[in-house]
Amino acid sequence: QAKTSGHNLWVFYQPDMSEQIVQRREMEQALREAIRADQLRLVYQPRYDIKSAQVYAVEALVRWQHPRLGLLTPDQFIPLAEETGLIIELSDWVMLQACRAMQQTLPELALSVNISASEFQTPGLVERVHSALEQSGFPPSRFEIEVTENATLKAPDIALEMMRQLKAMGVRFLIDDFGTGYASLSYLRTFPFDGIKLDRSFVIPMADSESACLIVKNMIGLGKAYSLNVTAEGVENSQQQELLKKYECDILQGYYIGRPAPLEQIREQQAPAVSARARLALAKN
Ligand code: C2E
Ligand code: MG
Ligand code: MG
Ligand code: MG
């Protein structure tokens, strides 16, 4: 199918079915290879605790350094990983790498990782998390799992049992992209979540919309009513930050707080805060 407009020639090309299948299979093979050949990378984004005025945790976010296509973001390969089951291997890699790197670089901070909905329908999640924590020596009390609401919907009994076992180990659970899923509020009572992360689509319009502010204020209130720790995602400017402080949000995350970056870079950004505390301690003596 081709269309001419002015001097530009736009060509819309629809690969036929068999070609799509071949491309998919190639991509699947490439991803399988990537996990083994060390082409995956992790970046980390700080989560800032308002009360203590300190970075409380980092979230691990995966990237794929593809030999031909360059650096790929999760939306370009996580769906494929989920459909092919490769997500299990990918997640195992993410958990172990992130736990090890944190133990070496920022052992005082908590860590959150993203676990896909499909992993809550596949047996073995409890053992896999346990193994990553044990192999790295990472304390479960500093480990948080982010899942979307939809994770608990398809097989609620299995998901609930997995969550119970992981919680018994000391692991915490956060609802990611809160407000965008299909779950009803009753599931905040049914599932043992520790916190919610308000999706950035609610936070971003706050700076120029009163109704957006009211919605976020009430979502924070709702989280508090269920005794949940509330993180706001997508904090991009100081207005949002100030409003969220006013609404008594617990944790802030977003480009204004810090962009996803290699762990060494996060540590360097942390250093001034640490030395300020050290100076304060010295001044007191
Ligand atoms: P998420 O867990 O909701 O992660 C937050 C996403 O928002 C990240 O995109 C982050 O870079 C982006 N972000 C952070 N602050 C801001 C901001 O202030 N403004 C805007 N506009 N965006 C911001 P990223 O890294 O592309 O990740 C996208 C999604 O991919 C994640 O959403 C998560 O659901 C998924 N993902 C990432 N890593 C993994 C992983 O290891 N396993 C699984 N299963 N999913 C992952
Ligand atoms: Mg997340
Ligand atoms: Mg999110
Ligand atoms: Mg997301």
Side-chain angles (χ1 to χ4, degrees):
Q1 200 184 356
K3 180 178 140 196
T4 343
S5 86
H7 298 290
N8 300 323
L9 180 71
W10 304 88
V11 179
F12 296 101
Y13 176 66
Q14 183 70 55
D16 65 31
M17 277 304 264
S18 59
E19 214 169 321
Q20 275 181 15
I21 290 167
V22 169
Q23 279 176 5
R24 243 186 87 88
R25 212 175 281 150
E26 279 175 6
M27 202 65 176
E28 179 183 342
Q29 201 42 51
L31 183 56
R32 194 181 302 278
E33 188 57 32
I35 300 168
R36 282 170 203 155
D38 217 28
Q39 289 169 14
L40 298 182
R41 304 281 179 268
L42 286 175
V43 285
Y44 299 81
Q45 188 173 34
R47 298 177 50 216
Y48 176 85
D49 178 57
I50 293 175
K51 261 205 201 99
S52 69
Q54 280 177 30
V55 173
Y56 150 79
V58 296
E59 176 179 3
L61 297 161
V62 70
R63 304 286 180 262
W64 178 4
Q65 185 65 60
H66 192 285
R68 259 182 314 108
L69 303 174
L71 197 65
L72 305 181
T73 53
D75 53 302
Q76 293 173 286
F77 60 91
I78 291 288
L80 177 74
E82 290 173 342
E83 287 159 31
T84 55
L86 281 172
I87 192 71
I88 305 283
E89 274 183 67
L90 184 144
S91 272
D92 283 346
W93 184 89
V94 168
M95 288 192 284
L96 188 57
Q97 292 302 308
C99 286
R100 281 188 173 149
M102 288 293 287
Q103 284 297 75
Q104 282 198 355
T105 309
L106 283 168
E108 69 277 14
L109 297 189
L111 166 70
S112 68
V113 300
N114 295 282
I115 296 293
S116 288
S118 63
E119 295 178 80
F120 280 83
Q121 290 140 38
T122 312
L125 180 62
V126 178
E127 294 73 17
R128 292 168 47 222
V129 172
H130 183 262
S131 144
L133 295 173
E134 202 169 57
Q135 280 186 66
S136 59
F138 196 90
S141 59
R142 286 200 287 115
F143 193 72
E144 302 186 328
I145 290 178
E146 300 191 10
V147 280
T148 59
E149 300 160 38
N150 305 339
T152 52
L153 294 179
K154 266 198 187 154
D157 298 344
I158 298 172
L160 187 58
E161 186 49 33
M162 286 174 171
M163 283 179 79
R164 284 202 178 122
Q165 289 185 31
L166 287 163
K167 282 203 60 91
M169 284 165 45
V171 170
R172 288 189 295 274
F173 284 89
L174 309 175
I175 305 174
D176 206 351
D177 305 339
F178 182 77
T180 63
Y182 303 115
S184 69
L185 288 177
S186 70
Y187 100 131
L188 288 179
R189 258 184 291 122
T190 311
F191 294 94
F193 283 106
D194 300 282
I196 55 178
K197 299 185 75 179
L198 306 187
D199 190 66
R200 63 170 184 265
S201 61
F202 297 99
V203 175
I204 286 171
M206 282 175 78
D208 38 42
S209 155
E210 258 177 60
S211 69
C213 289
L214 193 58
I215 290 166
V216 167
K217 186 182 173 198
N218 281 294
M219 286 173 92
I220 294 170
L222 178 78
K224 298 275 156 121
Y226 282 97
S227 306
L228 295 163
N229 178 284
V230 182
T231 297
E233 300 186 312
V235 182
E236 294 186 345
N237 56 52
S238 61
Q239 290 115 285
Q240 291 159 346
Q241 174 172 270
E242 289 319 307
L243 286 164
L244 288 160
K245 279 184 183 170
K246 198 169 90 183
Y247 302 154
E248 294 180 20
C249 187
D250 299 301
I251 312 257
L252 305 180
Q253 183 174 356
Y255 295 163
Y256 186 71
I257 309 296
R259 295 204 171 239
L263 206 52
E264 292 69 30
Q265 225 164 296
I266 307 277
R267 181 177 57 189
E268 279 161 32
Q269 291 158 6
Q270 283 287 90
V274 171
S275 57
R277 277 205 300 281
R279 273 200 301 279
L280 202 67
L282 281 172
K284 274 186 192 155
N285 290 325

